[in-house]
Amino acid sequence: MNKLCALFATLALAAYAEPLPVIEVEGQPLAANAQRIVQALDFLGAPLANDVRTKLDATITRRDAAGVQAALDSQVLCVVDISPESRVKAQRGPAAAQVQQGGYTPVLIKVINHATSVARLQISSPQSGPSYAGVAKGTMERERQTHLRENENTQGANRFLEISLFDAPPMTSNLSGLEVEYAIALIYSSEAGKREATLVFDIGQGTQDLGFRAEVPVLFDVRPAVTVKLDVKDFDGTPTTARLTFTDAQGHVFPPQARRLAPDFFFQKHLYRPSGGTVLLPSGEFTMEASRGPEYRTVKTKVTIPAAKETTLPVKLERWIHAADFGYYSGDHHIHAAGCAHYTSPSEGMRPEDMFQQVKGEGLNVGCVLAWGYCFDYQRQFFGPQVDLLSEPLTQMKYDMEVSGFGSAALGHVCLLNLRELVYPGAEGIKGWPTWTLPALRWTKQQGGFTGYPHSGSGMQVNSATAAKRMLDAYDVSKDARLTAAETQDALLPEPFEKIDADRDGGLNEAELVSSHERVLDLLPNVATPDAGGHEIFVTTAHGVCDFISAMDTARLLEWNTWYHLMSCGFPLKAAGETDFPCMSGTRVGQGRTYVKLGKVARLHFTQWCQGLAQGRSYVSDG
């Protein structure tokens, strides 16, 4: 019995031994399909062998349907058969299952379409899809990368493939309806060697034939990728870390985002590598983009990776300005290593060595990695009272805390920097913290820390219609749907009463209140009242325990409006640039940053940098 099962398995995995069926079909449309196959394979850098191409060209010219099939069938990896009832089954074709690790290999699919369906042919595999799981839905929606959250690896399966049908021109996204045609699938493997995978075909939900007949197990022979060693040099010739993006002529990003685990972040198209670091690429031509934050130009270069076991690729960075020459040093005080876009499986976020490359690769001098409510118990192990041991003289990384997802978060998240102790006295982890921010800020100041509120525009949005209705509900004593001067005596109107009263009838109706709110939303400062929540920054600033208000990661007018009102009240609160990576933005750290003036120094001191921020010896920028 075991021998019989082994035989069946071998037959299923082996290439199709018999010639594929030749389907009777009109020659002109099949010849046109074959011509597009030739063009697409040329475009993908995988042209047909000369003998096959010569034979195929002749049959295309003659519009010989049987000849086209005879020429192409030897190149077919899988045959998909769609019954008249639109049930899909599949079998192995005669082509060798050879693909390239780290590259997209085009393979040919023959579609026999008894139903003359014009549906979209789909291909999938249990061995394909993200290697990770646990990504926040809201963050992926905000970053417009929801596809990276589809089919998450919640079961911890061994996934090594990326697979899709090539439907860009000259190919089409749907079947043509012809009785037989050819399609191209692209297969990417992150592993090398012999690898079995199951390919699954359908033309919509419920169209797979019974008994797993739409599934084809294939034993792939995956050629190893080239180990590319990166020789990264800064503008002055010293080794450093760079932000790098590799793309091919079709726009594929390497390695594919869904295949990425630490040290690479799947939600970023780029990656970071120190000098001497490596990346696996297939042989061929790529466009490499190299940079290191906003003080550098983005250098775009065509590079050719040879067909070799390993190679070295030089990367030379170009600065356009060096803020340190003027005594200014940049920092992002709000970075997360877990939660939001980060996965929770196979690990709860990222480790310090992964985060340090992000900080250094963006040319930041200071990066504050903040533990918070999500994955706190895992991430707290990296906290220390001093900067992380990975820190360098001009690149400092410190683990600290954001009160978010617990404690006083409803009254405003707070960034607590330069902490000596991570957990509030009497609390157990993130349980038992005060439910308002003032005590946590006082505790931070007592240990020599620095405090500020992040993403200051969040929750400060104003809906003009809602705000107008809210004013009527609160102050319309006579219930006549208008506000008189007497009724608004204690109200905080967005503009003077006379300016709002457009029809000069001595009362403010709902339309006039809506128009007034609309007029002031683009003015600084304005007193249009936000729609939801409160913010304790107005209390803690008055108590003298708030050092800064954060900006650059939410709507600018909302950020500055809060800040302007505080300063107008006589509180010289400082502004600080942040990213809230990867919650507000997963593109890169340091998109919002603070440049603190310290003078020319050979080694940074984290506490002095924070002091400069708190004292306002700084400016806020995106670079």
Side-chain angles (χ1 to χ4, degrees):
M1 182 66 179
N2 289 339
K3 290 182 179 179
L4 184 60
C5 291
L7 175 61
F8 286 153
T10 301
L11 291 174
L13 290 166
Y16 193 84
E18 299 295 327
L20 299 185
V22 176
I23 306 301
E24 186 174 343
V25 66
E26 289 193 49
Q28 189 277 333
L30 184 60
N33 168 246
Q35 184 63 54
R36 288 186 289 108
I37 289 288
V38 170
Q39 294 169 347
L41 291 174
D42 286 346
F43 174 71
L44 292 168
L48 292 168
N50 289 336
D51 58 335
V52 176
R53 177 70 173 267
T54 300
K55 182 179 179 183
L56 181 61
D57 286 346
T59 62
I60 290 174
T61 302
R62 297 195 307 269
R63 297 183 177 181
D64 178 359
V68 167
Q69 294 176 72
L72 284 178
D73 281 357
S74 63
Q75 311 299 307
V76 169
L77 182 71
C78 292
V79 182
V80 175
D81 189 300
I82 304 171
S83 74
E85 297 78 28
S86 294
R87 307 295 293 185
V88 177
K89 62 182 179 181
Q91 64 185 34
R92 184 74 164 83
Q98 293 181 337
V99 298
Q100 171 69 59
Q101 180 192 19
Y104 290 88
T105 303
V107 298
L108 211 57
I109 309 296
K110 183 174 185 177
V111 183
I112 301 172
N113 191 354
H114 301 289
T116 62
S117 172
V118 293
R120 185 184 185 94
L121 179 65
Q122 299 178 101
I123 185 172
S124 60
S125 172
Q127 289 76 39
S128 177
S131 300
Y132 49 80
V135 181
K137 178 182 178 183
T139 302
M140 289 293 95
E141 290 175 342
R142 183 161 51 246
E143 296 182 8
R144 299 180 182 179
Q145 296 195 96
T146 54
H147 63 285
L148 293 175
R149 194 173 171 272
E150 295 173 358
N151 188 28
E152 286 191 306
N153 193 9
T154 56
Q155 303 301 316
N158 178 24
R159 293 177 171 179
F160 54 91
L161 285 186
E162 279 294 300
I163 188 166
S164 64
L165 284 168
F166 180 70
D167 58 7
M171 304 307 293
T172 59
S173 57
N174 287 51
L175 295 170
S176 67
L178 197 63
E179 290 87 345
V180 63
E181 62 185 287
Y182 294 86
I184 296 173
L186 297 178
I187 298 179
Y188 176 103
S189 176
S190 58
E191 300 178 2
K194 299 288 187 181
R195 294 293 185 274
E196 181 184 331
T198 300
L199 306 185
V200 185
F201 297 89
D202 68 80
I203 55 171
Q205 188 173 6
T207 60
Q208 296 175 2
D209 208 349
L210 302 177
F212 306 101
R213 285 188 284 183
E215 301 181 6
V216 183
V218 180
L219 181 61
F220 288 102
D221 182 9
V222 187
R223 298 186 299 272
V226 181
T227 299
V228 180
K229 185 177 181 180
L230 299 159
D231 181 19
V232 184
K233 291 294 193 295
D234 210 339
F235 72 103
D236 58 1
T238 58
T240 191
T241 297
R243 181 209 318 150
L244 301 164
T245 307
F246 294 94
T247 54
D248 64 11
Q250 292 76 51
H252 293 125
V253 177
F254 291 81
Q257 289 177 254
R259 296 261 56 77
R260 297 186 186 185
L261 298 175
D264 301 326
F265 293 8
F266 74 92
F267 48 84
Q268 295 174 323
K269 294 184 184 299
H270 53 268
L271 47 84
Y272 296 91
R273 288 293 184 275
S275 190
T278 61
V279 61
L280 293 178
L281 294 174
S283 59
E285 188 175 89
F286 297 86
T287 298
M288 179 182 73
E289 296 181 34
S291 187
R292 192 172 172 248
E295 295 181 35
Y296 289 74
R297 295 184 175 91
T298 298
V299 180
K300 186 178 290 188
T301 311
K302 292 288 186 183
V303 298
T304 300
I305 305 301
K309 184 177 180 180
E310 58 185 40
T311 190
T312 298
L313 184 63
V315 180
K316 184 63 186 296
L317 300 174
E318 295 182 11
R319 270 191 185 272
W320 69 272
I321 193 170
H322 197 182
D325 287 343
F326 303 91
Y328 284 91
Y329 298 86
S330 67
D332 184 346
H333 68 267
H334 194 166
I335 301 169
H336 293 298
C340 294
H342 289 301
Y343 49 63
T344 58
S345 174
S347 64
E348 294 187 39
M350 300 295 177
R351 297 182 59 83
E353 52 267 30
D354 308 320
M355 300 309 300
F356 186 75
Q357 295 305 323
Q358 298 267 329
V359 171
K360 187 173 181 179
E362 288 300 326
L364 285 167
N365 302 113
V366 171
C368 303
V369 182
L370 307 184
W372 64 305
Y374 291 88
C375 307
F376 175 82
D377 289 335
Y378 179 82
Q379 289 288 323
R380 68 184 297 181
Q381 65 181 302
F382 308 124
F383 170 78
Q386 306 296 329
V387 295
D388 192 88
L389 293 176
L390 293 169
S391 296
E392 299 174 357
L394 294 177
T395 307
Q396 304 271 297
M397 184 173 72
K398 173 79 164 68
Y399 273 74
D400 276 313
M401 170 69 88
E402 179 191 7
V403 178
S404 173
F406 68 98
S408 60
L411 289 174
H413 300 184
V414 286
C415 296
L416 310 179
L417 311 181
N418 202 39
L419 294 175
R420 299 294 179 265
E421 299 290 337
L422 186 65
V423 178
Y424 189 82
E428 296 182 7
I430 57 175
K431 296 179 180 179
W433 282 63
T435 55
W436 71 106
T437 65
L438 183 61
L441 270 60
R442 282 177 170 161
W443 166 70
T444 301
K445 302 300 288 183
Q446 289 167 3
Q447 54 180 306
F450 300 88
T451 64
Y453 290 77
H455 38 71
S456 55
S458 293
M460 305 301 282
Q461 296 85 355
V462 177
N463 181 292
S464 298
T466 303
K469 187 176 186 305
R470 185 171 58 241
M471 295 199 81
L472 285 168
D473 291 343
Y475 299 107
D476 184 14
V477 177
S478 60
K479 302 302 179 185
D480 60 353
R482 60 197 296 272
L483 301 179
T484 64
E487 288 173 323
T488 60
Q489 185 174 357
D490 297 325
L492 185 63
L493 295 173
E495 296 176 302
F497 186 96
E498 294 75 15
K499 187 171 183 179
I500 302 174
D501 185 15
D503 59 10
R504 300 293 187 266
D505 66 348
L508 309 181
N509 59 43
E510 185 171 349
E512 290 172 329
L513 288 168
V514 170
S515 296
S516 176
H517 280 89
E518 287 294 316
R519 285 193 296 271
V520 304
L521 290 182
D522 289 336
L523 301 178
L524 286 174
N526 69 69
V527 293
T529 306
D531 296 321
H535 209 306
E536 203 180 340
I537 190 171
F538 301 97
V539 176
T540 56
T541 300
H543 278 272
V545 293
C546 180
D547 294 308
F548 60 87
I549 182 171
S550 304
M552 303 303 290
D553 57 350
T554 51
R556 299 292 184 266
L557 285 172
L558 301 182
E559 294 172 343
W560 302 136
N561 195 43
T562 301
W563 187 36
Y564 282 21
H565 278 299
L566 284 163
M567 289 193 293
S568 295
C569 292
F571 300 110
L573 190 67
K574 307 307 182 288
E578 68 169 15
T579 305
D580 191 4
F581 175 92
C583 297
M584 288 297 182
S585 172
T587 305
R588 54 187 179 270
V589 302
Q591 284 183 288
R593 55 180 66 194
T594 307
Y595 283 87
V596 174
K597 188 167 188 178
L598 299 173
K600 291 285 289 184
V601 297
R603 176 180 291 273
L604 285 173
H605 295 280
F606 180 77
T607 301
Q608 291 177 3
W609 187 89
C610 291
Q611 286 173 340
L613 184 157
Q615 293 168 4
R617 292 185 282 108
S618 59
Y619 67 91
V620 171
S621 175
D622 58 4

